[in-house]
């Protein structure tokens, strides 16, 4: 009987802990979604029954007249934002109250997690200031020859995949993943991955493990975000130790080789090495400085790989899927590329800047399939919602449902229709600010957005000059999102029919 009594007490204590925060929004008279014990409003997400985009979309749709809605990410109170003006308040005007994303870095046990996405407060601010010059237009232009080489490898692969056939059904996620892997390998690590010829390279194997979307991985990451003390107490790891060792070793060997042999490349690693040399000697006494160590460089290269490889390849895949469905859009893009090619002679950096319609296509792709479906922020100091008496405590999460804004007919009429003209100069002037957020906004806007656009415009323009895409009975007919992916990704691939173009001047 004593044992049963103790068990009941333990269960009650656990239940109390899991539900102790559930009166948070009711006490503040904020409309909220009724939570369930332990999981809050995230049971379907953690159990992989639905994607984060679908979870937030359901809440967004069920409160059409509210500017914000209370919810619970497991036991953590969170505020889901439905009003563009409040998005501006959080991301820009009152950024100092919402500086952090709520992710945690363990610089001692997992130094590769100490990157710009995870870092908080002043450490993030100092690192962002130091790294921002790496992504200037001039630096990106200097990297362009590296991108051209990767684009040529993409064309060579498709030619070999087609062989003597005029057309073939190709899985575009695999094709574009090869392209973006080569790009990231060349620009972020100074290495030639040869992704199209070495299918099981160590780098690709590690990449798949990093992007593991199994339920075990999802639960581990959920514990890391919402129960950081438990995460550290249990000595859990965001990634297996061999992944961290692999990336750190690659960076160490690359830097060592360049310093010993005076190797110079116009890539990300070289720029960070130069930044490290220009930094003043660090003795640990300067509160307003941050040392660019080898470990810091490895962490930034790692997140560049993790973010750039998957988001860009998935966006390009979604884009080609839509172009296969919208042949008129595809041909208009191809004609623009030919016109620009005739003007510039080749697809140079300057030529890509003239591809306005192609850019509109990519922007519309990211509207319909935003790489990150929800922007996460966390309150870092007491905050009162403007125009109300509603207070938000430090530690409270904020969720900005990007996917929901992008699919709200108030901001984007007929949202399921793929229409690049939404992003014409005239239409953008009429659009409502802070409803289109594929790269975020404010001081924590994606630092690599210009690089991503350059990479995608080159890969897509080179592809469309040589090939056209369409659909047949074996092509992907309907997209279902992967519930275990941290980005918007298809669960079952994206297959389209690829066919050679026959224009003599292109070949």
């Amino acid at each position: 009987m004593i044992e049963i009594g103790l068990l009941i007490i333990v269960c009650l204590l656990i239940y109390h802990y899991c539900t102790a925060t559930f009166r948070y929004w009711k006490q503040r008279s904020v409309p909220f979604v009724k939570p369930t014990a332990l999981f809050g409003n995230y049971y379907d997400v953690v159990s992989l029954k639905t994607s984060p985009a679908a979870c937030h979309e359901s809440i967004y749709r069920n409160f059409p007249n509210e500017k914000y809605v209370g919810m619970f990410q497991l036991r953590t109170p969170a505020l889901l934002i439905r009003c563009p003006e409040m998005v501006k308040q959080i991301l820009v005007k009152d950024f100092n109250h919402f500086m952090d994303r709520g992710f945690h870095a363990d610089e001692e046990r997992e130094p590769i997690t100490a990157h710009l996405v995870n870092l908080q407060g002043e450490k993030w601010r100092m690192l962002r200031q130091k790294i921002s010059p790496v992504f200037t237009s001039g630096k990106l232009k200097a990297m362009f020859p590296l991108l051209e080489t990767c684009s040529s490898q993409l064309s060579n692969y498709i030619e070999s995949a087609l062989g003597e056939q005029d057309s073939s059904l190709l899985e575009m996620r695999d094709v574009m993943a090869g392209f973006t892997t080569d790009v990231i390998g060349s620009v972020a690590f100074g290495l030639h991955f040869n992704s199209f010829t070495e299918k099981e390279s160590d780098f690709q194997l590690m990449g798949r493990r990093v992007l593991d979307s199994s339920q075990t991985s999802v639960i581990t990451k959920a514990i890391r975000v919402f129960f950081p003390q438990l995460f550290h107490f249990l000595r859990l790891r965001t990634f297996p130790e061999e992944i961290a060792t692999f990336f750190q070793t690659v960076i160490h060997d690359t830097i060592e080789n360049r310093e010993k042999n005076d190797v110079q490349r116009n890539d990300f690693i070289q720029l960070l090495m130069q930044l490290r040399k220009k930094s003043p000697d660090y003795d640990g006494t300067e509160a307003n400085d941050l040392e660019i160590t080898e470990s810091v460089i490895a962490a930034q290269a790692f997140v560049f790989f993790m973010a750039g490889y998957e988001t860009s390849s998935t966006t390009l895949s979604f884009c080609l899927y839509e172009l296969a469905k919208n042949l008129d859009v595809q041909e208009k893009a191809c004609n623009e590329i030919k016109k620009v090619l005739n003007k510039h002679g080749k697809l140079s950096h300057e030529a890509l800047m003239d591809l306005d319609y192609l850019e509109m296509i990519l922007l519309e792709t990211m509207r319909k399939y935003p790489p990150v479906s929800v922007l996460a922020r966390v309150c870092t100091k007491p905050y009162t919602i403007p125009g109300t008496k509603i207070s938000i405590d430090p530690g409270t999460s904020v969720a900005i449902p990007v996917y929901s804004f992008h699919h709200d007919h108030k901001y984007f009429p007929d949202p399921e229709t793929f229409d690049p003209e939404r992003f014409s100069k005239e239409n953008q002037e009429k659009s409502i600010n802070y409803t289109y957020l594929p790269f975020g906004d404010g001081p924590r806007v994606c630092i690599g957005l210009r690089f991503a656009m350059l990479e995608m415009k080159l890969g897509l323009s080179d592809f469309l000059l040589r090939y056209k895409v369409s659909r047949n009975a074996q092509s992907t007919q309907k997209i279902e999102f992967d519930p275990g992916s941290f980005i918007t990704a298809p669960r079952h691939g994206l297959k389209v029919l690829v066919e050679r173009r026959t224009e003599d001047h292109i070949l």
Side-chain angles (χ1 to χ4, degrees):
M1 290 295 293
I2 295 177
E3 290 83 356
I4 294 175
L6 288 174
L7 180 61
I8 292 173
I9 291 173
V10 170
C11 290
L12 289 173
L13 288 173
I14 292 174
Y15 180 81
H16 174 73
Y17 173 78
C18 293
T19 61
T21 61
F22 285 179
R23 291 181 57 81
Y24 189 88
W25 295 120
K26 186 175 183 179
Q27 291 170 344
R28 288 161 173 75
S29 299
V30 172
F32 67 97
V33 186
K34 185 178 179 180
T36 58
L38 182 61
F39 297 101
N41 304 117
Y42 271 22
Y43 174 77
D44 286 346
V45 174
V46 175
S47 61
L48 299 185
K49 290 184 177 180
T50 191
S51 66
C55 172
H56 293 99
E57 173 76 348
S58 175
I59 297 171
Y60 185 95
R61 297 291 182 192
N62 287 333
F63 293 83
N65 300 316
E66 304 295 340
K67 292 184 176 180
Y68 40 81
V69 182
M71 55 179 286
F72 296 88
Q73 297 171 335
L74 305 188
R75 69 186 300 274
T76 302
L79 195 65
L80 183 130
I81 308 301
R82 298 190 74 265
C83 168
E85 186 56 39
M86 273 206 69
V87 173
K88 181 179 180 180
Q89 291 285 153
I90 289 165
L91 296 183
V92 182
K93 287 186 176 180
D94 297 321
F95 173 75
N96 287 335
H97 288 266
F98 300 95
M99 184 184 298
D100 299 340
R101 289 194 170 101
F103 307 145
H104 300 273
D106 188 336
E107 297 182 54
E108 292 185 7
R109 290 182 58 241
E110 294 188 284
I112 64 167
T113 64
H115 48 68
L116 277 176
V117 173
N118 289 343
L119 286 178
Q120 303 179 355
E122 285 305 307
K123 275 195 173 182
W124 165 80
R125 193 189 299 273
M126 287 187 289
L127 187 60
R128 175 85 182 206
Q129 288 173 349
K130 283 183 175 290
I131 293 182
S132 290
V134 171
F135 292 92
T136 61
S137 296
K139 298 291 197 306
L140 295 182
K141 187 175 180 179
M143 294 180 187
F144 191 74
L146 301 178
L147 301 185
E148 287 183 301
T149 300
C150 298
S151 183
S152 296
Q153 292 169 344
L154 170 62
S155 297
N156 292 338
Y157 170 76
I158 296 175
E159 280 300 311
S160 65
L162 292 179
E164 296 182 359
Q165 304 176 79
D166 292 328
S167 63
S168 180
L169 190 71
L170 297 181
E171 169 52 73
M172 297 317 297
R173 280 204 77 192
D174 292 342
V175 173
M176 290 303 162
F179 169 61
T180 56
T181 299
D182 282 347
V183 168
I184 296 301
S186 181
V187 173
F189 294 90
L191 300 172
H192 297 292
F193 286 176
N194 300 315
S195 298
F196 293 116
T197 56
E198 298 178 17
K199 290 296 184 182
E200 292 300 321
S201 69
D202 289 342
F203 237 104
Q204 288 175 297
L205 179 62
M206 290 296 170
R208 285 195 290 273
R209 295 189 66 186
V210 167
L211 298 168
D212 177 20
S213 61
S214 66
Q215 188 163 16
T216 301
S217 177
V218 170
I219 291 173
T220 300
K221 290 178 174 63
I223 294 173
R224 172 175 166 261
V225 173
F226 301 116
F227 302 100
Q229 293 85 1
L230 178 62
F231 184 87
H232 293 301
F233 175 77
L234 296 175
R235 298 190 67 78
L236 298 175
R237 300 187 67 88
T238 311
F239 307 107
E241 189 170 2
E242 56 266 31
I243 291 178
T245 301
F246 175 80
F247 281 98
Q248 289 168 329
T249 300
V250 168
I251 294 300
H252 172 78
D253 291 347
T254 300
I255 292 176
E256 184 177 59
N257 176 63
R258 293 191 186 188
E259 290 179 340
K260 281 185 177 180
N261 301 299
D262 194 27
V263 176
Q264 300 288 323
R265 276 173 57 95
N266 289 317
D267 61 12
F268 185 68
I269 295 296
Q270 194 69 40
L271 294 171
L272 288 178
M273 288 173 63
Q274 292 170 0
L275 189 62
R276 180 177 65 166
K277 290 180 180 179
K278 291 179 182 178
S279 297
D281 291 336
Y282 184 76
D283 59 7
T285 61
E286 290 292 332
N288 295 322
D289 198 14
L290 181 69
E291 184 184 14
I292 302 297
T293 64
E294 190 176 288
S295 180
V296 169
I297 293 175
Q300 309 325 307
F302 170 74
V303 76
F304 194 29
F305 167 79
M306 189 168 64
Y309 150 71
E310 182 73 354
T311 56
S312 295
S313 65
T314 303
T315 298
L316 285 169
S317 303
F318 280 131
C319 183
L320 290 167
Y321 167 80
E322 287 292 342
L323 292 180
K325 292 170 59 181
N326 299 274
L327 299 180
D328 56 332
V329 174
Q330 182 180 169
E331 291 311 304
K332 185 174 179 179
C334 187
N335 289 334
E336 180 193 49
I337 298 166
K338 293 176 189 176
K339 183 178 178 180
V340 168
L341 183 63
N342 289 333
K343 175 184 175 182
H344 291 271
K346 66 173 186 174
L347 288 176
S348 61
H349 182 272
E350 291 76 14
L352 294 186
M353 297 303 104
D354 283 349
L355 293 173
D356 297 329
Y357 189 68
L358 192 76
E359 181 164 316
M360 289 160 56
I361 289 173
L362 286 168
L363 294 176
E364 173 67 349
T365 301
M366 290 185 287
R367 180 202 65 81
K368 196 169 180 183
Y369 310 99
V372 178
S373 67
V374 59
L375 300 179
R377 295 292 186 270
V378 65
C379 184
T380 54
K381 53 185 178 180
Y383 183 73
T384 300
I385 297 176
T388 75
K389 295 182 180 180
I390 299 171
S391 61
I392 298 177
D393 297 323
T396 303
S397 294
V398 172
I400 299 172
V402 176
Y403 182 91
S404 300
F405 276 111
H406 287 193
H407 287 257
D408 192 327
H409 65 88
K410 290 188 300 183
Y411 310 125
F412 300 98
D414 196 11
E416 297 309 313
T417 297
F418 187 80
D419 181 12
E421 293 297 334
R422 300 179 199 273
F423 294 94
S424 67
K425 184 177 180 181
E426 296 76 18
N427 286 332
Q428 286 202 68
E429 289 174 353
K430 296 183 290 185
S431 65
I432 298 174
N433 291 333
Y434 299 96
T435 59
Y436 182 70
L437 301 159
F439 294 105
D441 211 316
R444 285 199 90 137
V445 67
C446 175
I447 196 171
L449 71 89
R450 285 191 292 183
F451 175 83
M453 289 301 295
L454 182 66
E455 170 193 16
M456 291 191 294
K457 287 176 80 171
L458 176 60
L460 185 59
S461 58
D462 200 23
F463 180 95
L464 291 178
L465 269 176
R466 303 169 187 275
Y467 313 100
K468 53 185 174 183
V469 289
S470 58
R471 297 197 299 168
N472 62 14
Q474 287 75 45
S475 301
T476 300
Q477 302 299 318
K478 185 178 180 181
I479 292 176
E480 179 184 347
F481 295 137
D482 183 355
S485 175
F486 72 95
I487 68 165
T488 305
R491 190 172 195 171
H492 303 299
L494 290 167
K495 294 180 180 179
V496 300
L497 190 67
V498 178
E499 181 181 354
R500 286 189 185 92
R501 293 186 183 272
T502 57
E503 289 84 349
D504 293 338
H505 73 281
I506 293 175
L507 299 176

